[in-house]
């Protein structure tokens, strides 16, 4: 056996060496070395408690991702994803300029060669005062429901969150919101969901929360879906204006509004009664917007489908003035006469062909009245032959009165 093993030993050793080199050559041809670049790999920081314990906060100046190259076997390198790498920034090694190196490794393949792309495995950290604020969480709905449905204000549980982080970042926060879609909710009483919290700045843009700590990142949301109903609005005007003044018109709009709420609550509402508007002693026109009163007049649980709805009320009050108008005798018509009699009308002293009437009312009305609009008449019902002094009757606009009595002489004869 010894002779067999040692026979041609030199050739056997040479064959073994050739076999090893052949295996290495084949292996490199089948699975060669390959270099691949990875970018935007997120950085995890450690040892940041020393800063937070000192009531300080940190944030990344130019982002918290790094880029690097990985060199290794093609089969291995091509199978890797960003999740296979660990990029760690040790904040205890933070330089005076705020820079810290990022240690990048691949735990599953520690033998891989990892090299930075430029200075991309270094991140810049800004240190500033730690700020903490609380924000109410508002529910923002999107999507739509049918016209006879109303999406009420949603509620978040909990509705208050605490945000802490660098002061410059926290001070940019204007509000905390959650978004929920209500499309297709026509047959539901409410839409419920769990939604992530978004932090918005004063422009309504969503903020990056990577350097912030939220007491919780999501909340439970409930949005009621109500039925709607259109009901009349009742508003009365009471009292009388100051002496020497009169009401020309009273008006309010709209006369009806659309409300929403649970079905059992809507069925109990036939109208909305607003408090009367008292015009007692007023000597000027009134214009009022009573949005607040309209809202407070709604029963509990009932809302306006248009929260901006305002009842606008107007009372036109004017000073009372007197106006004298001459009425021509020939324009005075005889009423209720007998066809067998003839009638002639003249002034009582036969000295003029006209009579003067004095009217009292709102200045804008009496100033524009003409004699032709008054339709003057004298009623002769029940009078026989003879001469009589009878009053002139006038047709007056609303709010206008005649302050003097005007008589004319009527002579009645048989035909």
């Amino acid at each position: 056996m010894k002779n067999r093993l040692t026979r041609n030993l030199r050739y056997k050793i040479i064959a073994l060496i050739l076999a090893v080199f052949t295996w290495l050559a084949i292996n490199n041809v089948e699975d060669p070395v390959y270099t691949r670049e990875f970018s935007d790999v997120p950085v995890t920081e450690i040892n940041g408690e020393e800063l937070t314990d000192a009531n300080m906060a940190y944030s990344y100046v130019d982002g918290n991702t790094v880029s690097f190259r990985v060199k290794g076997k093609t089969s291995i390198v091509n199978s890797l994803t960003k999740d296979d790498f660990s990029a760690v920034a040790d904040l205890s090694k933070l330089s005076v300029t705020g820079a810290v190196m990022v240690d990048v490794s691949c735990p599953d393949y520690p033998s891989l060669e990892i090299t930075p792309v430029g200075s991309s495995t270094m991140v810049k950290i800004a240190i500033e005062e730690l700020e903490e604020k609380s924000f109410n969480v508002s529910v923002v709905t999107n999507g739509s429901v049918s016209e006879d449905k109303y999406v009420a204000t949603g509620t978040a549980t909990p509705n208050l969150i605490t945000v802490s982080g660098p002061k410059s970042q926290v001070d940019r926060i204007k509000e905390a919101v959650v978004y929920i879609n209500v499309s297709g909710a026509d047959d539901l009483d409410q839409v419920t969901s769990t939604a992530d919290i978004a932090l918005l700045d004063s422009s309504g843009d969503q903020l990056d929360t990577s350097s912030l700590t939220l007491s919780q990142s999501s909340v439970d949301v409930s949005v009621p879906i109500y039925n709607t109903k259109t009901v009349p609005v009742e508003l009365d005007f009471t009292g009388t204006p100051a002496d020497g003044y009169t009401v020309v018109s009273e008006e309010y709009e709209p006369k009806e509004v659309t409300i929403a709420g649970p079905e059992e609550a809507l069925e109990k509402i036939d109208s909305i009664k607003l408090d009367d508007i008292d015009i007692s002693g007023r000597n000027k026109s009134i214009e009022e917007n009573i949005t607040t009163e309209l809202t407070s007049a709604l029963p509990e649980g009932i809302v306006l489908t248009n929260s901006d709805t305002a009842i606008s009320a107007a009372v036109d009050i004017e000073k009372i003035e007197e106006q004298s108008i001459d009425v021509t005798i020939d324009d005075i018509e005889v009423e209720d006469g007998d066809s067998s009699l003839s009638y002639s009308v003249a002034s009582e002293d036969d000295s003029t062909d006209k009579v003067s009437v004095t009217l009292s009312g709102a200045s804008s009305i009496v100033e524009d009245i003409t004699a032709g609009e008054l339709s003057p008449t004298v009623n002769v019902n029940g009078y026989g032959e003879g001469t009589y002094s009878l009053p002139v009757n006038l047709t007056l606009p609303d709010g206008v009165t005649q302050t003097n009595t005007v008589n004319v002489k009527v002579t009645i004869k048989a035909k």
Side-chain angles (χ1 to χ4, degrees), residues 121-139:
T121 53
M122 177 180 291
V123 290
K124 191 72 178 290
I125 302 292
I127 307 244
E128 56 184 297
E129 180 183 350
L130 179 67
E131 179 88 352
E132 182 176 283
K133 286 185 179 180
S134 295
F135 298 89
N136 287 315
V137 180
S138 302
V139 178

PDB file of all heavy atoms in Angstrom, residues 121-139:
ATOM      1  N   THR A 121     -21.181  58.324   3.204  1.00  0.00           N
ATOM      2  CA  THR A 121     -21.395  57.574   4.436  1.00  0.00           C
ATOM      3  C   THR A 121     -21.116  58.442   5.661  1.00  0.00           C
ATOM      4  O   THR A 121     -20.824  57.932   6.746  1.00  0.00           O
ATOM      5  CB  THR A 121     -20.514  56.312   4.467  1.00  0.00           C
ATOM      6  OG1 THR A 121     -19.159  56.682   4.238  1.00  0.00           O
ATOM      7  CG2 THR A 121     -20.991  55.313   3.439  1.00  0.00           C
ATOM      8  N   MET A 122     -21.206  59.722   5.451  1.00  0.00           N
ATOM      9  CA  MET A 122     -21.120  60.674   6.565  1.00  0.00           C
ATOM     10  C   MET A 122     -22.392  61.524   6.546  1.00  0.00           C
ATOM     11  O   MET A 122     -22.831  61.966   5.489  1.00  0.00           O
ATOM     12  CB  MET A 122     -19.883  61.565   6.441  1.00  0.00           C
ATOM     13  CG  MET A 122     -19.771  62.619   7.538  1.00  0.00           C
ATOM     14  SD  MET A 122     -18.280  63.630   7.342  1.00  0.00           S
ATOM     15  CE  MET A 122     -17.012  62.434   7.710  1.00  0.00           C
ATOM     16  N   VAL A 123     -23.014  61.730   7.706  1.00  0.00           N
ATOM     17  CA  VAL A 123     -24.221  62.542   7.786  1.00  0.00           C
ATOM     18  C   VAL A 123     -23.959  63.736   8.691  1.00  0.00           C
ATOM     19  O   VAL A 123     -23.092  63.692   9.567  1.00  0.00           O
ATOM     20  CB  VAL A 123     -25.433  61.732   8.320  1.00  0.00           C
ATOM     21  CG1 VAL A 123     -25.886  60.712   7.298  1.00  0.00           C
ATOM     22  CG2 VAL A 123     -25.110  61.079   9.644  1.00  0.00           C
ATOM     23  N   LYS A 124     -24.720  64.792   8.444  1.00  0.00           N
ATOM     24  CA  LYS A 124     -24.570  66.033   9.216  1.00  0.00           C
ATOM     25  C   LYS A 124     -25.754  66.139  10.179  1.00  0.00           C
ATOM     26  O   LYS A 124     -26.921  66.008   9.778  1.00  0.00           O
ATOM     27  CB  LYS A 124     -24.562  67.230   8.265  1.00  0.00           C
ATOM     28  CG  LYS A 124     -24.153  68.534   8.922  1.00  0.00           C
ATOM     29  CD  LYS A 124     -22.662  68.539   9.227  1.00  0.00           C
ATOM     30  CE  LYS A 124     -22.250  69.883   9.845  1.00  0.00           C
ATOM     31  NZ  LYS A 124     -22.302  70.988   8.894  1.00  0.00           N
ATOM     32  N   ILE A 125     -25.442  66.356  11.431  1.00  0.00           N
ATOM     33  CA  ILE A 125     -26.456  66.428  12.484  1.00  0.00           C
ATOM     34  C   ILE A 125     -26.524  67.846  13.033  1.00  0.00           C
ATOM     35  O   ILE A 125     -25.482  68.464  13.308  1.00  0.00           O
ATOM     36  CB  ILE A 125     -26.125  65.457  13.638  1.00  0.00           C
ATOM     37  CG1 ILE A 125     -26.019  64.025  13.121  1.00  0.00           C
ATOM     38  CG2 ILE A 125     -27.172  65.552  14.735  1.00  0.00           C
ATOM     39  CD1 ILE A 125     -27.304  63.432  12.659  1.00  0.00           C
ATOM     40  N   ALA A 126     -27.756  68.375  13.175  1.00  0.00           N
ATOM     41  CA  ALA A 126     -27.959  69.686  13.808  1.00  0.00           C
ATOM     42  C   ALA A 126     -28.521  69.458  15.203  1.00  0.00           C
ATOM     43  O   ALA A 126     -29.451  68.668  15.395  1.00  0.00           O
ATOM     44  CB  ALA A 126     -28.920  70.526  12.979  1.00  0.00           C
ATOM     45  N   ILE A 127     -27.948  70.137  16.171  1.00  0.00           N
ATOM     46  CA  ILE A 127     -28.366  69.992  17.565  1.00  0.00           C
ATOM     47  C   ILE A 127     -29.028  71.293  17.999  1.00  0.00           C
ATOM     48  O   ILE A 127     -28.520  72.390  17.756  1.00  0.00           O
ATOM     49  CB  ILE A 127     -27.157  69.727  18.476  1.00  0.00           C
ATOM     50  CG1 ILE A 127     -26.405  68.559  17.920  1.00  0.00           C
ATOM     51  CG2 ILE A 127     -27.604  69.592  19.918  1.00  0.00           C
ATOM     52  CD1 ILE A 127     -26.290  67.370  18.641  1.00  0.00           C
ATOM     53  N   GLU A 128     -30.202  71.169  18.610  1.00  0.00           N
ATOM     54  CA  GLU A 128     -30.898  72.360  19.104  1.00  0.00           C
ATOM     55  C   GLU A 128     -31.775  71.990  20.292  1.00  0.00           C
ATOM     56  O   GLU A 128     -31.856  70.820  20.689  1.00  0.00           O
ATOM     57  CB  GLU A 128     -31.733  72.994  17.990  1.00  0.00           C
ATOM     58  CG  GLU A 128     -32.748  72.064  17.348  1.00  0.00           C
ATOM     59  CD  GLU A 128     -33.469  72.726  16.193  1.00  0.00           C
ATOM     60  OE1 GLU A 128     -34.162  73.722  16.455  1.00  0.00           O
ATOM     61  OE2 GLU A 128     -33.341  72.244  15.050  1.00  0.00           O
ATOM     62  N   GLU A 129     -32.448  72.998  20.823  1.00  0.00           N
ATOM     63  CA  GLU A 129     -33.284  72.807  22.005  1.00  0.00           C
ATOM     64  C   GLU A 129     -34.431  71.838  21.713  1.00  0.00           C
ATOM     65  O   GLU A 129     -35.020  71.855  20.643  1.00  0.00           O
ATOM     66  CB  GLU A 129     -33.841  74.163  22.452  1.00  0.00           C
ATOM     67  CG  GLU A 129     -34.723  74.102  23.687  1.00  0.00           C
ATOM     68  CD  GLU A 129     -35.303  75.464  24.026  1.00  0.00           C
ATOM     69  OE1 GLU A 129     -34.860  76.457  23.419  1.00  0.00           O
ATOM     70  OE2 GLU A 129     -36.210  75.525  24.877  1.00  0.00           O
ATOM     71  N   LEU A 130     -34.727  70.987  22.696  1.00  0.00           N
ATOM     72  CA  LEU A 130     -35.836  70.041  22.571  1.00  0.00           C
ATOM     73  C   LEU A 130     -37.147  70.752  22.880  1.00  0.00           C
ATOM     74  O   LEU A 130     -37.270  71.453  23.879  1.00  0.00           O
ATOM     75  CB  LEU A 130     -35.643  68.870  23.530  1.00  0.00           C
ATOM     76  CG  LEU A 130     -36.728  67.797  23.531  1.00  0.00           C
ATOM     77  CD1 LEU A 130     -36.719  67.048  22.209  1.00  0.00           C
ATOM     78  CD2 LEU A 130     -36.516  66.823  24.692  1.00  0.00           C
ATOM     79  N   GLU A 131     -38.124  70.598  22.007  1.00  0.00           N
ATOM     80  CA  GLU A 131     -39.436  71.236  22.173  1.00  0.00           C
ATOM     81  C   GLU A 131     -40.516  70.162  22.227  1.00  0.00           C
ATOM     82  O   GLU A 131     -40.438  69.132  21.540  1.00  0.00           O
ATOM     83  CB  GLU A 131     -39.700  72.178  20.998  1.00  0.00           C
ATOM     84  CG  GLU A 131     -41.041  72.882  21.037  1.00  0.00           C
ATOM     85  CD  GLU A 131     -40.989  74.190  21.813  1.00  0.00           C
ATOM     86  OE1 GLU A 131     -39.948  74.463  22.437  1.00  0.00           O
ATOM     87  OE2 GLU A 131     -41.972  74.920  21.801  1.00  0.00           O
ATOM     88  N   GLU A 132     -41.535  70.410  23.023  1.00  0.00           N
ATOM     89  CA  GLU A 132     -42.664  69.474  23.117  1.00  0.00           C
ATOM     90  C   GLU A 132     -43.975  70.255  23.101  1.00  0.00           C
ATOM     91  O   GLU A 132     -44.144  71.215  23.845  1.00  0.00           O
ATOM     92  CB  GLU A 132     -42.567  68.637  24.395  1.00  0.00           C
ATOM     93  CG  GLU A 132     -43.679  67.606  24.531  1.00  0.00           C
ATOM     94  CD  GLU A 132     -43.503  66.723  25.751  1.00  0.00           C
ATOM     95  OE1 GLU A 132     -42.652  65.813  25.692  1.00  0.00           O
ATOM     96  OE2 GLU A 132     -44.193  66.968  26.758  1.00  0.00           O
ATOM     97  N   LYS A 133     -44.885  69.861  22.212  1.00  0.00           N
ATOM     98  CA  LYS A 133     -46.188  70.525  22.109  1.00  0.00           C
ATOM     99  C   LYS A 133     -47.279  69.487  21.924  1.00  0.00           C
ATOM    100  O   LYS A 133     -47.031  68.382  21.414  1.00  0.00           O
ATOM    101  CB  LYS A 133     -46.216  71.502  20.920  1.00  0.00           C
ATOM    102  CG  LYS A 133     -45.443  72.783  21.127  1.00  0.00           C
ATOM    103  CD  LYS A 133     -45.640  73.725  19.938  1.00  0.00           C
ATOM    104  CE  LYS A 133     -44.896  75.031  20.135  1.00  0.00           C
ATOM    105  NZ  LYS A 133     -45.084  75.947  18.978  1.00  0.00           N
ATOM    106  N   SER A 134     -48.494  69.884  22.310  1.00  0.00           N
ATOM    107  CA  SER A 134     -49.662  69.028  22.118  1.00  0.00           C
ATOM    108  C   SER A 134     -50.542  69.607  21.021  1.00  0.00           C
ATOM    109  O   SER A 134     -50.675  70.836  20.907  1.00  0.00           O
ATOM    110  CB  SER A 134     -50.466  68.899  23.419  1.00  0.00           C
ATOM    111  OG  SER A 134     -49.693  68.235  24.406  1.00  0.00           O
ATOM    112  N   PHE A 135     -51.162  68.741  20.239  1.00  0.00           N
ATOM    113  CA  PHE A 135     -52.018  69.164  19.126  1.00  0.00           C
ATOM    114  C   PHE A 135     -53.306  68.349  19.119  1.00  0.00           C
ATOM    115  O   PHE A 135     -53.286  67.135  19.351  1.00  0.00           O
ATOM    116  CB  PHE A 135     -51.302  68.969  17.779  1.00  0.00           C
ATOM    117  CG  PHE A 135     -50.055  69.782  17.622  1.00  0.00           C
ATOM    118  CD1 PHE A 135     -48.824  69.277  18.031  1.00  0.00           C
ATOM    119  CD2 PHE A 135     -50.108  71.052  17.075  1.00  0.00           C
ATOM    120  CE1 PHE A 135     -47.665  70.023  17.879  1.00  0.00           C
ATOM    121  CE2 PHE A 135     -48.953  71.808  16.921  1.00  0.00           C
ATOM    122  CZ  PHE A 135     -47.733  71.291  17.321  1.00  0.00           C
ATOM    123  N   ASN A 136     -54.404  69.045  18.863  1.00  0.00           N
ATOM    124  CA  ASN A 136     -55.661  68.347  18.623  1.00  0.00           C
ATOM    125  C   ASN A 136     -55.604  67.683  17.249  1.00  0.00           C
ATOM    126  O   ASN A 136     -55.077  68.271  16.303  1.00  0.00           O
ATOM    127  CB  ASN A 136     -56.844  69.320  18.669  1.00  0.00           C
ATOM    128  CG  ASN A 136     -57.148  69.770  20.079  1.00  0.00           C
ATOM    129  OD1 ASN A 136     -57.184  68.970  21.003  1.00  0.00           O
ATOM    130  ND2 ASN A 136     -57.356  71.069  20.261  1.00  0.00           N
ATOM    131  N   VAL A 137     -56.157  66.510  17.155  1.00  0.00           N
ATOM    132  CA  VAL A 137     -56.152  65.783  15.886  1.00  0.00           C
ATOM    133  C   VAL A 137     -57.469  66.052  15.160  1.00  0.00           C
ATOM    134  O   VAL A 137     -58.543  65.726  15.655  1.00  0.00           O
ATOM    135  CB  VAL A 137     -55.979  64.269  16.106  1.00  0.00           C
ATOM    136  CG1 VAL A 137     -55.976  63.535  14.768  1.00  0.00           C
ATOM    137  CG2 VAL A 137     -54.697  63.989  16.869  1.00  0.00           C
ATOM    138  N   SER A 138     -57.379  66.688  13.989  1.00  0.00           N
ATOM    139  CA  SER A 138     -58.561  66.982  13.168  1.00  0.00           C
ATOM    140  C   SER A 138     -58.743  65.875  12.134  1.00  0.00           C
ATOM    141  O   SER A 138     -57.774  65.338  11.611  1.00  0.00           O
ATOM    142  CB  SER A 138     -58.404  68.329  12.458  1.00  0.00           C
ATOM    143  OG  SER A 138     -58.202  69.369  13.389  1.00  0.00           O
ATOM    144  N   VAL A 139     -60.018  65.592  11.846  1.00  0.00           N
ATOM    145  CA  VAL A 139     -60.343  64.567  10.854  1.00  0.00           C
ATOM    146  C   VAL A 139     -60.697  65.256   9.539  1.00  0.00           C
ATOM    147  O   VAL A 139     -61.595  66.098   9.498  1.00  0.00           O
ATOM    148  CB  VAL A 139     -61.511  63.685  11.324  1.00  0.00           C
ATOM    149  CG1 VAL A 139     -61.870  62.659  10.247  1.00  0.00           C
ATOM    150  CG2 VAL A 139     -61.160  63.000  12.639  1.00  0.00           C
TER     151      VAL A 139
END
